[in-house]
Amino acid sequence: MNEKPPLHPPDDSIPEGAEMLTGHCYDGIQEYDNPTPAWWTWIFIGSVIFGVIYLFFVLAAGDELSPHGQYRRARIAHTELQFGELGVLEPDAETIHLYMQDDDWMAFAGNTFRTVCATCHGAGGEGGAGPNLTDDAYLHVTSIEDIAAVIRDGAAGGNMPAHEGRMHPSEIVLLASYVASMRGQNRPGNPPQGDVIPPWSVPAQGE
């Protein structure tokens, strides 16, 4: 019985080991076409996967992972410690005006706004499902105290939900101060809705 010849007979013109070379030759120096070690390959693949996940996580977190975000969280945590000493704030014009000028409490209230209100009103108050809070037109507000009342009791048949019992009374007042401070920024978003009302009246000292 005759043995069949190999399909690819050895090529005697190729020196032993030459098929493992890359073909690069620099000053007579050649390199082998060796595969990278398995441990290196898996570390490389793992680094790429980690990089993609980390990029997605950073983009989803906004600036929360930045030094600015870390500073803001530390500042809010410090303010929350002070919250216990604040007592119960009255939702009157004087109190709402007073806390509009307090940067620390406005940072705290701004975080509350982004957590509770931004879904409907936008992160900057530019509006969305809810009205734009940065212009001079309002649907259910004719005075600055009405902002706290709307937050507490809700409005528009429940489209603006009531937050009484869900937020501390002082937190409602601080949030009202923050919303009042957004007026006049006129951020692009929803067009004005409701009636244009006079500027906030600043109560006299001791009024």
Side-chain angles (χ1 to χ4, degrees), residues 38 40 45-46 48 95 100-101 115 134 139-140 144 160 167:
W40 188 96
I45 294 173
V48 172
T95 305
M100 285 172 63
Q101 317 305 320
T115 302
T134 66
L139 288 169
H140 307 287
I144 197 169
M160 166 65 193
M167 299 175 68

Side-chain angles (χ1 to χ4, degrees), residues 80-135:
E80 285 177 335
L81 288 177
Q82 295 177 309
F83 197 72
E85 304 172 1
L86 197 60
V88 179
L89 299 177
E90 292 296 329
D92 53 37
E94 183 178 2
T95 305
I96 294 174
H97 269 289
L98 177 66
Y99 283 94
M100 285 172 63
Q101 317 305 320
D102 191 310
D103 292 340
D104 288 337
W105 283 116
M106 287 302 92
F108 172 83
N111 185 62
T112 302
F113 182 88
R114 287 186 288 274
T115 302
V116 177
C117 313
T119 302
C120 294
H121 293 285
E126 68 276 9
N132 191 325
L133 300 176
T134 66
D135 53 39

Side-chain angles (χ1 to χ4, degrees), residues 11 16 22 44-46 52 63 71 81 84 109 117 151 185-186 196 204:
D11 187 349
E16 183 179 359
T22 62
F44 176 75
I45 294 173
V52 172
D63 70 341
Y71 169 73
L81 288 177
C117 313
I151 296 171
Q185 296 178 9
N186 296 312
V196 175

